[in-house]
Every structure is written in structure tokens, then in C-alpha cells.
Amino acid sequence: MAVRKFTRDHEWINLDGDVGTVGITDHAQEQLGDVVFVELPAVGKVVTKGGEAAVVESVKAASEVYAPLDGTVVAVNEALAAEPATVNADPFGAGWFMKIRVADRAAFDALMDEPAYRKFVAEGA
Amino acid sequence: MSQSFDQNLRRTPLHDLHVALGARLVPFAGYAMPVQYPTGILAEHRHARARAGLFDVSHMGQVTLRGATAASALERLVPADIAGLARQAIRYTMLTDQQGGILDDLMVGNGDDHLALVVNAGNKEADVAHLRAHLGAGVTVETHFERALLALQGPAAATVMGRLGPEATPLGFMTFARCAVAGFDCVVARSGYTGEDGFEIAVDPAHAADLARRLLADPDVAPVGLGARDSLRLEAGLCLHGHDIDTTTTPIEAGLAWTIGKRRREQGGFPGADRILREIASGPARRRVGLRPDGGAPAREGTEILDAEGRVIGRVTSGGFGATVNAPIAMGYVATRAATPGTAVQLVVRGAARPSRIVPLPFVPHRYARS
């Protein structure tokens, strides 16, 4: 089971080899409310850590999803176009956003682990 | 939400009930208001279309005008026929300014010995100052801002009212009366802001939470927050002041000419009458329209509207997701030449011009009670 890491912007990523799957956390989907649209990057797009990689729209507002690490988009979750509510229902599973090829393993290791992220959320971030 | 955040906000008489129901409270017009309950905006929206939703709209301003000249005095401030309003009837109208812009929109009910007004929360202090400044010495303006206002909206609203307040069920659309609901003394109107049949119920603040609990105990009723209130009224093509209508829009541009009766069109005598009557006669330069994006991306308020050639022809004033139409929907103003339903336009979302169509309003047919 791959280790899941977290950002301060409430994205998660786990690595399989050098490919990381990226989504938003359960806390993030709960804060957003009902997701009605997701705009995903083109496969091949180069993303930078903290840069905008996707957009998630709830009934009320649009929010950016940032790349957790530098990388290149190798796949996106096309199923979200028809069923954006999957982001609410299964944020850590079927509600994933994109897969990115990650160059720097050390940068992955430096992200928050789950206990650290839980503490971060509990402190009111 | 932190305690310090809460302290600067006013609370409605239902505040503790909202907290107990697990509402997410947000600041709105100086009040802590429930934007949604744990079920979420889409489920709340769909419940109001399928059965009945209960809304706390106590933040809105309830105002009473008294005096023998109240109706004729109010006609100097609004373009609707108030003098001709039947007893117990309600009319939708707007306070206009000298340029024909809209200071606020409101409901006016004829209570025989008084006029009962309901104005928007964010404008209520300014509206009362405006009324006091212009109605004249013969009219008194009483505020009842402490009074609670609940809205029960949806196809099951009349059935629910039949169980709890049968005196109110004979009310026709856009009429009101004093009625007992769940044993409480209320003023009930057959009106609302969702496009559905329903009631708006004014009640003493001391009884508001008990009344709300009695209504919520009905199996057809679920609480609905401001998030779904906004998406429901957008689907119904209803204007939100400060967004779709304001001092830069006229009632005619907004498609509200139907609120101006024959006598007022003939006689004028309301602020901005020159421009408003001219626009009735020769048409406005722009019109409020419905917009349906072809894709899935919602176009929010402020989005630029382009014609097929890429020229800017207007802006979105309300936009989001219509849970009943299950697609993004918006309203905005466009140049009259582009306002015909079916016209292809483009909406600029995140820098990209996206294909969209002008469509008729409302997005969802109104299902008001037949009077």
C-alpha cells in the first residue's frame, strides 16, 4: 500500500514507482460542498509544485487544485466529467484527479504524512 | 466557525435551531445565516422541488406603513399600482431612483388598514430611511426587524400546511392573511422565491423556533439553506438585488415591465418614469436573459459575455449550477440585438471563450398555486 502524503492546500498524492496519483482530501471536499464540475489539465502538461493544475467547482464557487510536486501529467480521471460528485463520495479513491510523473522522490518524502495533516486540519487551517 | 467571528453578526430567532441541525453558518447581510445543512445544497435544492423545503428568511425586513394616504404616497416611490391593490393581495415591485435604477425590490401587501412590506435584508435600513424621507408626514413607517419569517416552499407545501395550518390553504397565489399555524398566531402569504407553490410565514420571534420544529417534524419537510435558496431562485429566473438588479439596471432592462400596471404607465409619477416609460415604448438597449453554457463549467457572476464574433456584449449577473436542470445556468444582460433565445454567444471562463446559448427564462417552469 503506497504511502499517502498531503499538502497545506489539501491535496493528497501517493506514489507508485515515479508516478503519483493526486486528489483532494476528504476535508477539502467537505469544505467545498457538492462538486458539480472538474476541469483537468491536458496530458503532457508540466506542472510545478504549488502551481495551478486543475479546477474544482462546487455549487457556490470555483477553487484551484495545486500540484503537490513538480512533474508531468501522464493521466487524468476522465470519469469525473460525467460524475463530478465522485470527488465528494470517494475523494481518496475513484475521485482522484490526475497522475503525474514525479522527478524528485525527496520532495515527496518532505510532504506531510497523515498524522501531520490531521494535526494541520485540527489546528484550523 | 470561531466564536469571535460570530460575535459581530446578528442572529435570527432560529439561530440555535440551525446550530442544532448542523448548519454551516456564513455571514450574510450582517447575519449569521445557514448556507447549507449536512445534506448539502444539491439535495436541499432537489428536496424543495420534489417535496417541501423550510427556509429561514428572518433576515429580510418586515415593514408596516400606516396612514390614509399610504398607498398613494408609496406610489410616488414605486412603479406598481398600489392604490388598486385588492385587500389581502400582494404585489411585487421595486423602489426606483430618478435615473430609473432599482434601489431595492420588495413585496407590498394590502392589509386594509396598513400596507405590509417585505424588503431585502441588505437594504432594509436604507429602504426605511428612504421611505421615511419621501412618504410624507401622513404615513408612519414601522419596522418589525425582530420578527421571524419562514418560507415553506415546494409541491408538498400546501399538503403540509393543510396538516398544520389549514386556515392558510385557501389563500390564492400572492395573497396573505392572519392564520394560526401549529397553534401560533402568524401572518401567512402564498408566495415565495423558488418558483414553487409555497407560503411565507411571519411569526413572533418567541414562537419561531417552536413553529419551525413543528414544520420540520412533518415527513415532507427538510431544512434548506441560502445556497439552495440562491440556486432555486436562479432556476426560477428570479432576480437577486445587488446582482441581477441594482441602481444601474432599470425594471425594463430586467424584464420586469409586467410589474407596472396600465394606470401607472399612463400616468407615470414614480422616480425614473421618463426613462422607464420610454424603454417600455421603444425598448431598452439591453435585456436580462438566460444563459446555458454548452459545456459543464459554470459561468459565475461577472463573467464576460461575447457574441459569436468575440465582441463583448454583456456580463453575467448570477451564475451557478441548476440542480433540477442538472447543468450550469446563468443570467446576465446582453445588447438587445443578441437577446433572442437561441442566439449563440460565448462566456469567458478562466480566460477561455466557451460556447453558450441565450435561452428563455425561467429555466424551470413556475408551479405557483392557481388563484
Side-chain angles (χ1 to χ4, degrees):
Chain A
M1 185 72 189
V3 176
R4 188 182 293 141
K5 295 281 202 169
F6 298 85
T7 73
R8 299 171 71 90
D9 298 313
H10 307 285
E11 292 92 15
W12 59 264
I13 179 168
N14 57 29
L15 273 188
D16 179 9
D18 63 351
V19 173
T21 302
V22 177
I24 66 169
T25 66
D26 187 52
H27 173 76
Q29 71 77 20
E30 195 184 311
Q31 290 298 308
L32 286 170
D34 295 312
V35 172
V36 297
F37 181 70
V38 175
E39 191 148 276
L40 296 167
V43 170
K45 180 184 165 128
V46 174
V47 295
T48 55
K49 179 178 175 166
E52 185 182 317
V55 176
V56 58
E57 301 229 22
S58 69
V59 178
K60 293 296 286 178
S63 308
E64 278 97 34
V65 177
Y66 302 107
L69 296 171
D70 292 351
T72 305
V73 177
V74 295
V76 296
N77 188 357
E78 304 282 3
L80 296 183
E83 290 291 340
T86 310
V87 176
N88 296 114
D90 191 9
F92 293 123
W96 65 279
F97 278 56
M98 71 199 94
K99 294 179 192 289
I100 60 172
R101 191 175 305 284
V102 174
D104 184 359
R105 172 77 200 210
F108 176 80
D109 292 336
L111 293 172
M112 282 184 282
D113 61 12
E114 186 161 346
Y117 177 69
R118 281 181 188 279
K119 185 162 176 283
F120 175 71
V121 169
E123 284 166 1
Chain B
M1 187 190 315
S2 72
Q3 205 58 40
S4 59
F5 174 81
D6 248 355
Q7 279 168 357
N8 295 321
L9 295 171
R10 285 190 273 185
R11 297 173 171 192
T12 76
L14 299 186
H15 182 86
D16 292 349
L17 178 59
H18 298 317
V19 172
L21 291 168
R24 183 178 300 172
L25 297 167
V26 299
F28 183 83
Y31 285 81
M33 295 299 292
V35 67
Q36 66 167 84
Y37 298 88
T39 43
I41 293 173
L42 293 181
E44 291 167 26
H45 178 121
R46 289 173 179 145
H47 190 91
R49 290 266 184 257
R51 297 172 78 186
L54 185 69
F55 305 71
D56 180 9
V57 289
S58 302
H59 57 315
M60 299 191 77
Q62 299 180 51
V63 178
T64 300
L65 306 185
R66 293 186 191 277
T69 60
S72 57
L74 185 58
E75 285 196 352
R76 294 199 300 271
L77 301 181
V78 305
D81 181 351
I82 303 299
L85 193 54
R87 189 167 172 271
Q88 293 195 310
I90 301 168
R91 200 151 272 167
Y92 170 69
T93 188
M94 50 241 43
L95 295 166
T96 50
D97 67 18
Q98 293 300 331
Q99 289 72 46
I102 300 172
L103 296 166
D104 198 8
D105 61 341
L106 70 160
M107 293 290 199
V108 180
N110 178 3
D112 206 18
D113 64 346
H114 68 280
L115 294 174
L117 277 50
V118 179
V119 303
N120 280 301
N123 298 329
K124 63 187 181 184
E125 308 286 354
D127 289 348
V128 166
H130 182 72
L131 292 167
R132 288 192 170 134
H134 298 288
L135 287 178
V139 181
T140 58
V141 180
E142 299 169 9
T143 61
H144 311 285
F145 293 169
E146 75 295 342
R147 227 167 132 69
L149 190 62
L150 311 184
L152 179 69
Q153 299 281 298
T159 308
V160 172
M161 193 57 93
R163 291 192 277 257
L164 287 169
E167 291 171 27
T169 54
L171 287 170
F173 181 57
M174 293 294 272
T175 68
F176 74 114
R178 193 168 165 180
C179 302
V181 183
F184 299 109
D185 184 21
C186 300
V187 174
V188 182
R190 195 77 177 257
S191 56
Y193 194 44
T194 60
E196 299 295 328
D197 184 20
F199 301 88
E200 292 175 296
I201 309 162
V203 65
D204 186 283
H207 301 140
D210 288 336
L211 173 59
R213 285 180 201 278
R214 288 289 301 278
L215 289 162
L216 289 169
D218 190 292
D220 279 322
V221 181
V224 181
L226 288 186
R229 179 170 160 83
D230 189 53
S231 57
L232 287 158
R233 69 92 196 165
L234 175 56
E235 276 187 343
L238 301 172
C239 293
L240 176 60
H241 190 267
H243 301 265
D244 309 297
I245 49 175
D246 59 25
T247 53
T248 71
T249 64
T250 70
I252 312 311
E253 292 173 332
L256 302 174
W258 60 272
T259 67
I260 306 175
K262 184 166 177 280
R263 179 174 59 83
R264 302 305 313 273
R265 293 179 188 213
E266 287 168 1
Q267 297 177 357
F270 51 86
D274 288 355
R275 177 170 178 190
I276 290 168
L277 296 177
R278 188 173 68 241
E279 288 185 353
I280 289 175
S282 41
R286 60 176 185 162
R287 290 181 190 275
R288 181 171 61 96
V289 295
L291 294 154
R292 275 288 297 267
D294 292 356
R300 310 285 177 176
E301 181 176 359
T303 299
E304 269 190 344
I305 307 169
L306 312 180
D307 66 12
E309 287 74 45
R311 289 174 299 214
V312 178
I313 53 167
R315 229 171 245 286
V316 169
T317 52
S318 285
F321 186 80
T324 308
V325 299
N326 202 32
I329 55 173
M331 296 196 295
Y333 286 82
V334 298
T336 297
R337 64 176 163 78
T340 310
T343 305
V345 296
Q346 306 175 80
L347 296 169
V348 183
V349 177
R350 291 185 283 280
R354 303 173 192 230
S356 176
R357 273 168 302 119
I358 305 288
V359 297
L361 292 171
F363 297 96
V364 171
H366 294 162
R367 298 193 291 183
Y368 300 131
R370 301 178 76 106
S371 358

